[in-house]
Amino acid sequence: MTTRAGFVALIGEPNAGKSTLLNRMVGAKVSIVTHKVQTTRARIRGVAMAGESQIVFVDTPGLFRPRRRLDRAMVAAAWGGAADADVIVLLIEAHRGKTDGVDTILTALSEKATGRRVVLAINKIDRVEAPVLLKLTEEMNAAFPFERTFMISAERGYGVQDLREWLAHAMPEGPFLYPEDQIADLPMRMIAAEMTREKLTLRLHEELPYQLTVETEHWEERKDGSARIDQVVYVARDGHKGIVLGKGGETIKAVSKAAREELEEFMGRRVHLFLQVKVRPNWLEEAERYTEMGLDFRDGN
Ligand SMILES: Nc1nc2c(ncn2[C@@H]2O[C@H](COP(=O)(O)OP(=O)(O)OP(=O)(O)O)[C@@H](O)[C@H]2O)c(=O)[nH]1
Ligand SMILES: [Mg+2]
């Protein structure tokens, strides 16, 4: 029997639901999700099997107008993910429609994606009525020659099976790229750091989630089958450290507990998670921090 395998890049504005879709396709939480924009920072690969096809989904940071070095590196990583893909899926939000941000992406797609297969996925259809979808489909297809339009709810799973089947057939013939039981192409220490960053992002406000990074410093396998994981939360200012710790350390304790519980579920075994908060005023300009995040520091130039 002939097998198929290839890459599908998920691109779109921040918050479009790219990571939610990746997780649903893979059937596990490989990429972190929050209600805030700019959650995903690097390219994250999740592997899904569909019959005789292996689809490697590439989750990317959202495309937006970058201001800082980190933003520029994120946007470069997103376009890099699209450049390598066999199919590009552009996700937009049904209730927000064809925004200025979407227009900017369409213009860039016309320049960068010549000769590539591009499909549109209108996500969050649970939030609108059918006539809105029809109008948006028309509007989008008048602006760009999408090969297909899918209407989905990544969160609820509507329309996702159709998209999966279409992508499975669109993959080029060839041997599988990953072992069949592998679901992610991201080191465990990075997945663990991302889980902690998700919990921090959910509990902290305004600019703080964008001013911190999490790294796994030490990972120890214990004889009893559990793992001891030590992570550092880098913040840019003294004041931020106090906020991350919270009154009497209650914020960091809650973050640590939530991250540990999710890690234990993901790994199927006990985890001892230790978080330390360090002030590092210049971390956003340090090449090593970018490498740890899976980004290219020079992309931020
Ligand atoms: N109502 C609704 N919400 C959704 C749907 N899909 C995703 N969301 C929500 O949209 C928010 C953003 O989802 P993410 O998957 O983090 O979006 P993203 O595109 O990866 O965002 P960035 O990583 O910031 O670029 C979360 O609160 C999701 O729960 C959907 O189909 N319907
Ligand atoms: Mg994301």
Side-chain angles (χ1 to χ4, degrees):
M1 199 175 252
T2 50
T3 57
R4 294 174 180 275
F7 292 93
V8 173
L10 307 174
I11 68 163
E13 285 191 279
N15 230 24
K18 302 175 293 295
S19 302
T20 305
L21 181 61
L22 175 108
N23 292 340
R24 181 162 285 280
M25 288 294 191
V26 169
K29 188 161 154 192
V30 168
S31 195
I32 63 171
V33 170
T34 79
H35 58 288
K36 299 185 183 176
V37 296
Q38 295 167 35
T39 298
T40 307
R41 285 186 178 164
R43 278 197 297 259
I44 293 172
R45 286 176 180 176
V47 187
M49 295 300 305
E52 294 303 309
S53 284
Q54 184 173 64
I55 314 173
V56 183
F57 286 95
V58 185
D59 187 14
T60 64
L63 293 162
F64 57 103
R65 193 191 299 269
R67 292 178 297 124
R68 310 176 295 171
R69 174 185 280 274
L70 175 59
D71 303 342
R72 289 192 292 275
M74 283 163 57
V75 170
W79 282 118
D84 301 337
D86 296 292
V87 177
I88 297 171
V89 178
L90 170 64
L91 264 86
I92 66 167
E93 291 169 278
H95 61 291
R96 291 186 64 231
K98 190 165 165 291
T99 59
D100 290 347
V102 167
D103 282 339
T104 308
I105 295 171
L106 291 179
T107 307
L109 263 181
S110 311
E111 288 161 11
K112 298 182 198 224
T114 37
R116 271 179 198 288
R117 308 184 74 173
V118 185
V119 301
L120 174 67
I122 303 180
N123 189 30
K124 311 196 184 181
I125 57 168
D126 53 289
R127 298 193 58 168
V128 298
E129 304 290 333
V132 176
L133 286 176
L134 296 178
K135 193 166 163 282
L136 182 55
T137 303
E138 271 175 29
E139 223 184 326
M140 288 295 292
N141 280 277
F144 189 89
F146 293 105
E147 200 172 324
R148 283 287 288 262
T149 298
F150 296 89
M151 299 179 192
I152 65 167
S153 170
E155 196 165 73
R156 304 199 184 178
Y158 309 151
V160 170
Q161 186 55 21
D162 267 1
L163 175 58
R164 183 205 301 270
E165 277 169 23
W166 189 88
L167 291 170
H169 288 291
M171 293 298 97
E173 281 184 15
F176 292 156
L177 301 162
Y178 291 92
E180 272 181 74
D181 57 356
Q182 187 170 341
I183 56 165
D185 179 10
L186 191 70
M188 241 346 269
R189 51 194 299 134
M190 208 181 271
I191 293 182
E194 285 285 272
M195 284 179 180
T196 300
R197 193 166 63 80
E198 179 190 87
K199 305 310 173 204
L200 286 163
T201 302
L202 291 171
R203 276 176 184 76
L204 301 170
H205 306 292
E206 289 162 29
E207 279 301 300
L208 239 167
Y210 308 104
Q211 305 268 359
L212 60 79
T213 189
V214 182
E215 293 179 15
T216 300
E217 277 219 321
H218 192 72
W219 187 298
E220 183 193 328
E221 294 295 341
R222 292 197 163 165
K223 284 202 190 74
D224 64 2
S226 67
R228 179 194 165 116
I229 304 170
D230 287 90
Q231 294 179 336
V232 182
V233 181
Y234 287 114
V235 295
R237 286 191 234 142
D238 273 331
H240 290 175
K241 180 171 175 173
I243 300 169
V244 171
L245 293 174
K247 207 187 287 169
E250 64 185 16
T251 305
I252 197 78
K253 265 185 223 150
V255 164
S256 175
K257 179 170 182 286
R260 173 180 54 77
E261 285 170 357
E262 201 165 291
L263 262 171
E264 287 185 330
E265 200 188 307
F266 190 86
M267 295 174 28
R269 55 201 177 101
R270 282 196 65 198
V271 168
H272 311 274
L273 178 64
F274 295 89
L275 302 182
Q276 202 189 344
V277 184
K278 286 189 188 168
V279 182
R280 210 167 166 104
N282 209 31
W283 78 260
L284 277 151
E285 296 299 328
E286 290 175 347
E288 200 190 334
R289 305 281 82 75
Y290 286 71
T291 310
E292 286 288 328
M293 279 184 262
L295 289 172
D296 191 333
F297 183 69
R298 288 161 307 175
D299 281 344
N301 284 338

